Amino acid sequence: MSGRPEGTFSALRTQLQEAATAFADGPGALEGILRGIVDDVERAVREPLEIFPVCHHSPASALAMARRLREKQPKVIYLELCEDMAPLLTELRNCRLPVAVQAFASEIDGFPADWAPLSVVAPVTEASAEYQAIAYALDTPGVELVLVDRSSDHVFQWETPTPHETDPDAPPADEETALHGDAVGVEIGDLRPRFAELEEHLLRHGRVRHWSEWWHQYVELPLGDSDHDTYRQVMLLIGSLFRRLAPGDPRRVRIDEDRERYMWTRMRAHLATTGTDPADCLYVCGAFHAASRVEEFGVHGSDTFTITPPTATRWRHGLIPSSHAAIEAQFGLAAGSVSIAATEWAKNLRRTGVRPYRLEGQAGTEKSTRPRKALPIPAAVPEARPADRLTGFLQRPPALDPLDEAELLGWSVDIVRAARRNGYLASTADAIAVFETSILLAGMRDRVRPTPYDFQDAAVTCIEKDTVPGRRDVRRLVEIMMGGDRVGQVGYDALPPLARDVHDRLAPLGLRLQQRGVQRALLDIASRPELERCSDVLWMLRRLLPQGAARPIMGDRRLGERPIQESWDLALGTHQRPLIELGYEGVTIEQVLEQRLRRTAYAPQATAAQVLETVEDAIRYLRSRRLADELGTRALEVLASERTVDGAPEVLRRIRGLLAYYRTSEPVLPSWIESFVKTGYAHYCTLLPTAFTDEDATVRQVAAMLGFLFSMEGLALSLGCDRTQLELALAQSHPQEPARTALLWAARTHLGTLSRTTLRARCDDLLANPLVVPAYPRYLSGFLHALEPVPGLADFVVEAVSNAFARLPDPVLLPWLPTLITTLRSGGAELAPLLIREAGRVVPARLPELDAWVPPWLQAQEPSDTEPAGPAAGPARGVALLAAHPATCDALADLLGCDGAWASPDAAPPGAVLLTRHPRTATALEALLAGA
């Protein structure tokens, strides 16, 4: 086409060729680019199917779209939007804009597992051309709306994104900018230079800070009052310019061209199927795609492109709330640009008198009582040759917008008022300064009328001081004043079944749950038992939704407890997006919670502690014995396969709670929990010797293993376990670290293989050895952790600490006292209360009693060598009682088949008499066994 001498833009093409020759010293690359731009515009203008180029969230595009729709009244509108989102568009009338159409997939098939969940959103605002087209098509009889862009599945097939990668240095997203979550954004008309040097050049010579301000000043304002042909040709020119100057990123270029092939293939197929005349259609797409050069371009293009089939991923669709800040954050726009665009849209409507299209019943609009009229049959108009509007537009100097002093003065007064409400010491003088500075900045930037961006800079310069007294700075106050961060809302009728079910079940609370902000809910379940169902829903929501959506103020949900009174802070209206996304996973919150518990329990990296937590959640939130037994069996499998003791403390805590619950609420223990105790006993006995010497295992983890073995010992032995396995495990343990050595001593004391006397002597030897005294705090740390498996040693730990303070001199005690405090605080803070209670029981509570107080461990008398070590000689009282009442023993003897006669109660057994007369042998044997 570039070689054709005649055409609509022949004069413009000649002028650009002369300019290229003059500025580039002869024809070359510059001439090719300029002539190619004109060729792209002429090609799009001559297409039988009218192409309407737009820029996303552009008031000028929306205004031109409203005008063109009323003038042309097309019968078919092809819209650049994911084709699988079409059924959701009718639900926009039940929402308050801005909202986003979302495609969501939690269970994926055909994509890497670490991508899940997949999410695609397409934000819609009232000041956007796509909304004007949607409203016109849905509320006008006889008009068909066809979405022709790639499906949500193809978005991930082609672009292979990494949705969950985040910048670790980036500031955390606030509540409003995170409305879209990690979704991939789809927008109509991403019109921004992909050549960094070109964007920098435009910003520098345009004297603006960012791209949104350049677009507002040099595109939005000139095109606001232009006719349709001028708007269309200028947008095509800009799209072609940015396209031809884009860097040659093969992947991005391929994706752009495949999207254009996809859309033209879909449109040609629809035209062939329906037999619609292309003159009655309108193709709404981004200006970047309107200037396409692919072979499939146009209704007469080639049909060589093959659309790949979608994967087996099951997609769910819905509407989620959006906001101006969320749109700006997702698409890289300047803060406040979408709010300023909304303000410009309202101003353009008042200035031009154009009546925009709005969906019937849309929130914030009046319902029309007039019956809908069918489209009039357009008269046959011969095809007119498009006129050249570009030459005049490019040669015409920019029209200077006159200064509106009343508007600028109102802005200055409003920003001072807002600043004073937010803690700034602003006055009338500041309003005058903002007014004059805005005019000064506009003049420095070659503008007669200050733009909102000029006014924002002036307000920051004149009002903002060194510190921000409130939560918002002046720049944010200007954004709020210009339109604010408008947040959309999805209406009840447009919510998925799960969200509607949640609202219905919480209706007895009498709250407006769709309202944004925090609301207090008081549940007196004792007087109103029907509120217990609301309590169940709220606890499940707390488990599934972000922290601020449902926050308990009073009340708790523990195993085996029933609620009496509760108090909640609810913000379901603010957290509407996560509630809606729950509806993509199931029909009820019980179903979603059950699926998530199973997903957690059967994850490849799941630990026994995590699976036990899912068992607790199944009991607390779902009260499902079936699910709890299934997850408990899974916990048993995971525990048997673990080779480390990292989760031992958590396993101990949770299995103790589950045992206590089942023992108080069930007649018998579930089979899985008996198997878990039996398997855990053998499992930890096997790992115990290695854990005592493993550097990766902490003292707390080893103490938790011993706590499991000692606290579950009775149940484990009754189920067939052998205590000899535990004794052998301790005998094979040879720790070198002081804390673990003390822990082993405590365990042996619990089993009876180490007496308290010997343990006390070993501690005394530690205090008497100057080389070991610096490590004594670590021994105390081990004893402190030993209170978990052996709580009966609390008095001995108090004795060990007291002896250290009593025996060590100050030059020795004071240097390691900070070490003692930090060691006890970091290594056993949760066990310190038990130690403190025991010390409070032993030490006198009154100061006068402290002078005469003697520690109980100093009052104890050790048995002498001449005294018997065992019980006193003579028949025990129990034996005399049995002899006086022999009926029970006789019955038991008859049952066992034993024959015998009762001896006299006064006659002592020969063996007992021998031990009484010669106690030295027994005493020596006891000392030998104790030292082993």
Side-chain angles (χ1 to χ4, degrees), residues 690-749:
T690 305
F692 265 110
T693 57
D694 189 3
E695 295 181 356
D696 295 333
T698 63
V699 180
R700 181 170 178 266
Q701 293 169 353
V702 179
M705 295 174 61
L706 293 173
F708 184 95
L709 295 172
F710 292 163
S711 60
M712 307 292 167
E713 185 177 19
L715 179 59
L717 295 181
S718 67
L719 296 175
C721 294
D722 190 357
R723 197 186 194 199
T724 306
Q725 187 177 6
L726 175 59
E727 295 174 350
L728 291 176
L730 290 177
Q732 295 173 357
S733 302
H734 304 287
Q736 301 295 328
E737 202 268 332
R740 303 185 193 204
T741 301
L743 189 60
L744 178 62
W745 292 349
R748 293 179 58 189
T749 303

Side-chain angles (χ1 to χ4, degrees), residues 873-875 906-919:
D906 297 333
V913 173
L914 186 63
L915 290 175
T916 304
R917 293 177 180 176
H918 306 282

Side-chain angles (χ1 to χ4, degrees), residues 640-801:
S641 62
E642 287 185 345
R643 293 296 177 265
T644 63
V645 296
D646 296 342
E650 193 69 12
V651 169
L652 174 62
R653 184 178 68 85
R654 296 194 181 278
I655 197 63
R656 278 178 175 175
L658 289 170
L659 267 175
Y661 166 74
Y662 282 118
R663 282 171 172 168
T664 55
S665 61
E666 301 285 344
V668 294
L669 292 177
S671 58
W672 75 265
I673 204 168
E674 293 181 349
S675 301
F676 189 92
V677 172
K678 184 177 179 180
T679 303
Y681 189 86
H683 178 71
Y684 285 136
C685 282
T686 304
L687 296 179
L688 192 60
T690 305
F692 265 110
T693 57
D694 189 3
E695 295 181 356
D696 295 333
T698 63
V699 180
R700 181 170 178 266
Q701 293 169 353
V702 179
M705 295 174 61
L706 293 173
F708 184 95
L709 295 172
F710 292 163
S711 60
M712 307 292 167
E713 185 177 19
L715 179 59
L717 295 181
S718 67
L719 296 175
C721 294
D722 190 357
R723 197 186 194 199
T724 306
Q725 187 177 6
L726 175 59
E727 295 174 350
L728 291 176
L730 290 177
Q732 295 173 357
S733 302
H734 304 287
Q736 301 295 328
E737 202 268 332
R740 303 185 193 204
T741 301
L743 189 60
L744 178 62
W745 292 349
R748 293 179 58 189
T749 303
H750 175 77
L751 291 181
T753 59
L754 186 67
S755 66
R756 285 251 184 144
T757 304
T758 306
L759 183 61
R760 185 177 292 109
R762 291 185 178 182
C763 292
D764 292 341
D765 293 341
L766 293 176
L767 290 176
N769 189 343
L771 299 178
V772 184
V773 167
Y776 193 72
R778 288 188 286 171
Y779 283 96
L780 293 181
S781 176
F783 284 128
L784 184 63
H785 281 95
L787 297 182
E788 176 72 45
V790 191
L793 279 181
D795 58 338
F796 177 80
V797 179
V798 173
E799 174 186 346
V801 176

Side-chain angles (χ1 to χ4, degrees), residues 69-70 72-76 136 140-144 280 357 372-378:
L69 290 175
R70 296 196 182 275
K72 182 180 177 64
Q73 294 186 348
K75 296 180 180 179
V76 177
Y136 164 80
T140 306
V143 177
E144 183 180 3
D280 296 332
Y357 287 96
R372 296 181 180 178
K373 297 181 180 180
L375 283 178
I377 301 176

Side-chain angles (χ1 to χ4, degrees), residues 74 82 119 251 281 285 298 329 362 379 411 474 526 572 576 625 653-654 668 708 758 772 793 890 895:
C82 294
S119 180
R251 187 187 69 87
C281 304
C285 67
Q362 186 83 54
W411 288 356
V474 175
L572 298 184
Q576 198 177 40
R625 174 66 183 272
R653 184 178 68 85
R654 296 194 181 278
V668 294
F708 184 95
T758 306
V772 184
L793 279 181
D890 291 340
L895 181 63

Side-chain angles (χ1 to χ4, degrees), residues 255-272:
I255 292 174
D256 290 332
E257 293 180 348
D258 284 347
R259 289 183 64 185
E260 293 153 8
R261 297 185 179 100
Y262 193 107
M263 290 187 285
W264 280 110
T265 302
R266 290 299 194 198
M267 285 187 286
R268 281 195 301 271
H270 182 269
L271 290 173

Side-chain angles (χ1 to χ4, degrees), residues 96-98 176 179 321-324 484-489 516 573:
R96 185 175 67 242
L97 300 181
E176 303 304 341
L179 280 178
S322 184
S323 67
H324 293 170
D485 184 17
R486 191 171 303 167
V487 180
Q489 185 182 55
R516 291 182 59 82

